[in-house]
Amino acid sequence: MLVQIRSPREEPLGEALVDRQARQVRYLRVSLTDRCNYRCTYCMPEEGIEHRARGELLSLEEIVAICRAFAAWGVERVRLTGGEPTVRRGLVDLVRALRAIPREGGGHLEVMMTTNGELLGELAGPLADAGLGGVTVSVDSLDPARFRRITRRGELARVLAGIDAARARGLRVKLNTVAIAGFNDDELASIARHAWSRGATPRFIELMPMAGGRLFVPGELLPAAAIRAAIAEGLGAKVVADDGAGVRGLGPATYWRIAGGPEDGRRFGVIAAMTENFCASCNRLRLSASGQLHACLARDEAGDLRAALRSGRPDALAVAVRAVLGRKEDGHRFQLDGSGGPRKAMVTIGG
Ligand code: SAM
Ligand code: SF4
């Protein structure tokens, strides 16, 4: 059934979102739910989390209204995340409605999604038709037993079939792999090869100590330099930075290139919040499923956009957003021993 999503009110045009460090926000991550059909060990406590009641979530119409305002303020791209975004009802209609939002600089808002891929086999076609630009799919192992161990319930074959479906429908695909010492450090090169063979770009992520550090095991952190070394060794080639320091795209990843061997010229990304901090170029804000706007993944402070929107005051949303932006800190406080992170679990904000 096609649902017509109309935003409850229009936001006036405003100025670009620039913080005290002259960082301009061009990218909004939007969590659609704090629920997930997986229970990845580094993301969600085994006992689960206390979920927000459904009535506390932003409605799809409210999400569209907020994204329309951000687009008027210069945001070019939104990324839907979770928990797991594909378990939110109305996802396809939401993507269609978001894609219709005009961008300040011309064209329309770009809409991307990060997913565990479990439901992508069924959803890739409808999402592509609705205008989704691409998906980032999380795959931490190509060994089905390991994959199940880390996700506590995932089925690898379903996810790989989902990736194929996404590619077949013309979606751009990236693979996200959290690199974990003693778990998948022996298969990073094979994961990269697998991604390339599927037309996808692999990206490797350092573990971050969310949830008050409760899910973080210091010996499991694989630093970016070790990730690159493992890939170079596994491929029997060199890894070089595209421009001498790793090329940074719109997001937090730096990109690296294989030099030599059969994979010569192939690229992969590294997201290294812990050892190669990228806070200075941070261009994003994060919206939780209940409408809390977070200026930083690594901190708990947030502004309540749901209350602002529901207040009915025409300028309330703009005021709340600017207040959050004004408090955006220069950087995170993650420490290598697992301290310094936020109380919130990754599953509640979506990465
Ligand atoms: N459920 C979707 C998924 O798994 O892709 C979207 C949400 S998930 C929280 C987004 C990304 O965050 C995933 O790639 C996941 O592997 C990553 N992630 C979760 N917890 C993490 C942690 N503690 N450190 C680093 N990355 C983490
Ligand atoms: Fe769910 Fe994604 Fe977290 Fe895994 S990483 S538990 S799939 S939200």
Side-chain angles (χ1 to χ4, degrees):
M1 186 184 64
L2 183 73
V3 181
Q4 204 58 35
I5 299 175
R6 288 200 186 82
S7 54
R9 61 207 198 83
E10 302 297 320
E11 281 295 320
L13 280 177
E15 286 178 14
L17 299 169
V18 181
D19 75 2
R20 291 175 296 124
Q21 301 300 314
R23 296 173 295 191
Q24 184 176 349
V25 176
R26 298 182 184 278
Y27 180 112
L28 181 69
R29 293 182 72 98
V30 179
S31 167
L32 301 182
T33 175
D34 59 7
R35 290 169 194 270
C36 187
N37 40 8
Y38 285 6
R39 294 282 182 278
C40 301
T41 56
Y42 47 72
C43 179
M44 201 167 184
E46 184 146 29
E47 67 278 13
I49 58 159
E50 209 175 304
H51 294 291
R52 295 281 181 168
R54 288 196 199 282
E56 287 185 51
L57 300 190
L58 291 175
S59 67
L60 300 183
E61 288 80 3
E62 287 171 326
I63 293 171
V64 174
I66 290 173
C67 290
R68 175 168 294 130
F70 272 97
W73 296 326
V75 163
E76 297 163 358
R77 174 187 289 186
V78 296
R79 176 170 294 276
L80 305 178
T81 179
E84 173 49 39
T86 57
V87 305
R88 175 83 191 245
R89 279 167 67 178
L91 171 68
V92 174
D93 296 313
L94 176 66
V95 169
R96 191 178 299 109
L98 292 174
R99 277 293 285 156
I101 294 176
R103 288 202 302 207
E104 203 271 322
H108 289 89
L109 200 59
E110 243 189 291
V111 185
M112 316 299 272
M113 183 174 76
T114 297
T115 172
N116 61 27
E118 171 80 14
L119 299 175
L120 206 47
E122 299 97 88
L123 283 171
L127 285 170
D129 292 343
L132 189 74
V135 284
T136 298
V137 186
S138 302
V139 179
D140 293 336
S141 177
L142 292 174
D143 174 287
R146 277 190 190 180
F147 185 78
R148 174 154 295 248
R149 201 159 82 231
I150 200 85
T151 58
R152 295 203 185 98
R153 52 188 65 179
E155 200 190 313
L156 179 66
R158 272 186 72 84
V159 175
L160 297 184
I163 292 171
D164 288 343
R167 285 290 300 154
R169 293 309 305 259
L171 292 172
R172 275 178 276 157
V173 180
K174 289 182 191 154
L175 244 60
N176 266 1
T177 300
V178 179
I180 305 172
F183 171 72
N184 61 6
D185 41 358
D186 59 344
E187 56 172 327
L188 301 185
S190 348
I191 291 172
R193 255 199 211 111
H194 182 91
W196 293 322
S197 76
R198 295 296 205 276
T201 305
R203 305 189 319 164
F204 299 91
I205 307 175
E206 286 182 345
L207 269 175
M208 287 174 264
M210 305 291 287
R214 277 186 298 139
L215 309 177
F216 184 82
V217 182
E220 289 186 346
L221 170 67
L222 199 61
I227 292 173
R228 292 190 289 269
I231 291 172
E233 191 188 334
L235 297 178
K238 281 198 173 126
V239 165
V240 295
D242 274 358
D243 70 346
V247 172
R248 205 173 276 291
L250 240 198
T254 51
Y255 282 90
W256 303 81
R257 195 162 35 83
I258 307 301
E263 280 86 18
D264 186 56
R266 298 287 202 177
R267 294 171 84 236
F268 67 91
V270 176
I271 300 175
M274 302 295 284
T275 67
E276 293 172 4
N277 179 321
F278 43 82
C279 298
S281 62
C282 181
N283 62 354
R284 60 202 49 212
L285 295 175
R286 295 173 160 82
L287 183 66
S288 80
S290 61
Q292 301 301 306
L293 186 67
H294 294 245
C296 177
L297 174 67
R299 294 171 186 265
D300 287 311
E301 297 79 23
D304 191 349
L305 299 199
R306 187 187 55 182
L309 205 57
R310 291 182 188 177
S311 74
R313 290 202 320 274
D315 64 342
L317 188 61
V319 169
V321 170
R322 305 269 165 194
V324 170
L325 191 65
R327 292 195 302 267
K328 189 167 164 69
E329 300 276 357
D330 299 352
H332 68 63
R333 285 182 301 220
F334 284 142
Q335 302 298 320
L336 295 176
D337 65 1
S339 64
R343 290 186 306 281
K344 66 190 178 216
M346 190 69 105
V347 67
T348 65
I349 192 70

